[in-house]
Amino acid sequence: MTKLSQRIIEILLRSLEDGLDHKKYYESEFKNGHGYLRIINYTPLKCLDDEVEGLGMHTDMSCVTIVYQDQIGGLQVKSREGKWMDINPCEETLVVNIGDMLQAWSNEKFRSSEHRVILKKPVNRFSLAFFWCFEDEKVIFAPDEVVGEGYARIYKPFVCSDYLKFRESSERGKFEKVGFTVRDFAGINL
């Protein structure tokens, strides 16, 4: 999964501006990243009369997240128009989400996907999620060449682990601040 994540990052870097030295940025910015795997079990309520949110709208904290969902489904992504779209399970298919750290590093050339999980059946739903991130002490700061001449910087520099701590501390008692994003943490008001 680490090799796949690294390959995805390389492809994404190549899709940036013509003339951008994607190899230079991969080596200097992404080479020391790491990943972790979560097995996620969504347990439905005993009585499921209607659709129930298993996990509310959120963005991932990672650079990229690779997801395998079981055949139960329930993953939804928000479209540009603000509508929720089902990501139906397909055998031998993985879903790739851009995460907040890549969004900040790219000065929003890449956008973190807003998504949620909806429980539609009264059975447990399982998914595997591999989160690939920068190293904990990395300072996330969009390089000038990535920001682009004439464009404003959208994020102030921040340390990766500080953002993770921000998202993991929650008054609501959940494992992360659902609905909060990197803009809430390090966004510059333009």
Side-chain angles (χ1 to χ4, degrees), residues 67-173:
V67 178
Y68 176 79
Q69 61 175 331
D70 67 11
Q71 295 306 308
I72 302 299
L75 179 61
Q76 293 183 330
V77 120
K78 192 183 258 187
S79 71
R80 287 183 180 181
E81 295 78 32
K83 296 188 192 278
W84 289 106
M85 303 181 317
D86 289 323
I87 305 299
N88 295 318
C90 185
E91 195 171 324
E92 298 184 22
T93 300
L94 301 171
V95 176
V96 176
N97 288 329
I98 301 291
D100 289 350
M101 289 183 208
L102 188 57
Q103 175 175 307
W105 182 87
S106 71
N107 207 49
E108 293 194 0
K109 298 261 182 356
F110 300 118
R111 299 294 302 268
S112 188
S113 58
E114 294 180 325
H115 57 285
R116 67 182 182 181
V117 174
I118 298 295
L119 303 176
K120 299 179 180 187
K121 300 177 183 178
V123 296
N124 284 19
R125 177 194 183 274
F126 288 93
S127 64
L128 298 173
F130 184 80
F131 301 91
W132 194 81
C133 307
F134 289 117
E135 61 272 24
D136 289 345
E137 297 310 312
K138 168 116 178 102
V139 175
I140 311 300
F141 188 67
D144 291 338
E145 190 178 10
V146 173
V147 172
E149 193 174 321
Y151 290 93
R153 192 171 300 284
I154 299 171
Y155 297 93
K156 60 186 175 194
F158 64 93
V159 175
C160 179
S161 62
D162 291 343
Y163 179 56
L164 298 177
K165 288 174 193 167
F166 165 78
R167 284 284 299 266
E168 289 171 350
S169 63
S170 172
E171 305 85 43
R172 301 182 208 175

Side-chain angles (χ1 to χ4, degrees), residues 1-14 16 20-34 63-64 102 105 110 132-135 138 143 145-146:
M1 293 305 288
T2 296
K3 285 184 180 182
L4 178 58
S5 299
Q6 291 168 333
R7 183 71 179 123
I8 290 167
I9 290 292
E10 287 177 22
I11 291 167
L12 289 170
L13 290 175
R14 283 184 182 167
L16 289 172
L20 183 77
D21 188 350
H22 67 276
K23 288 181 183 178
K24 172 182 103 175
Y25 285 115
Y26 179 80
E27 289 295 319
S28 67
E29 303 285 327
F30 296 93
K31 187 177 182 181
N32 296 320
H34 67 280
C63 286
V64 293
L102 188 57
W105 182 87
F110 300 118
W132 194 81
C133 307
F134 289 117
E135 61 272 24
K138 168 116 178 102
E145 190 178 10
V146 173

Side-chain angles (χ1 to χ4, degrees), residues 28-74:
S28 67
E29 303 285 327
F30 296 93
K31 187 177 182 181
N32 296 320
H34 67 280
Y36 59 95
L37 179 70
R38 275 192 181 158
I39 300 171
I40 306 168
N41 175 22
Y42 299 92
T43 305
L45 302 171
K46 298 245 187 246
C47 178
L48 188 63
D49 294 332
D50 202 5
E51 294 180 355
V52 174
E53 271 192 358
L55 180 59
M57 188 287 296
H58 67 285
T59 56
D60 293 335
M61 298 176 271
S62 59
C63 286
V64 293
T65 304
I66 302 170
V67 178
Y68 176 79
Q69 61 175 331
D70 67 11
Q71 295 306 308
I72 302 299

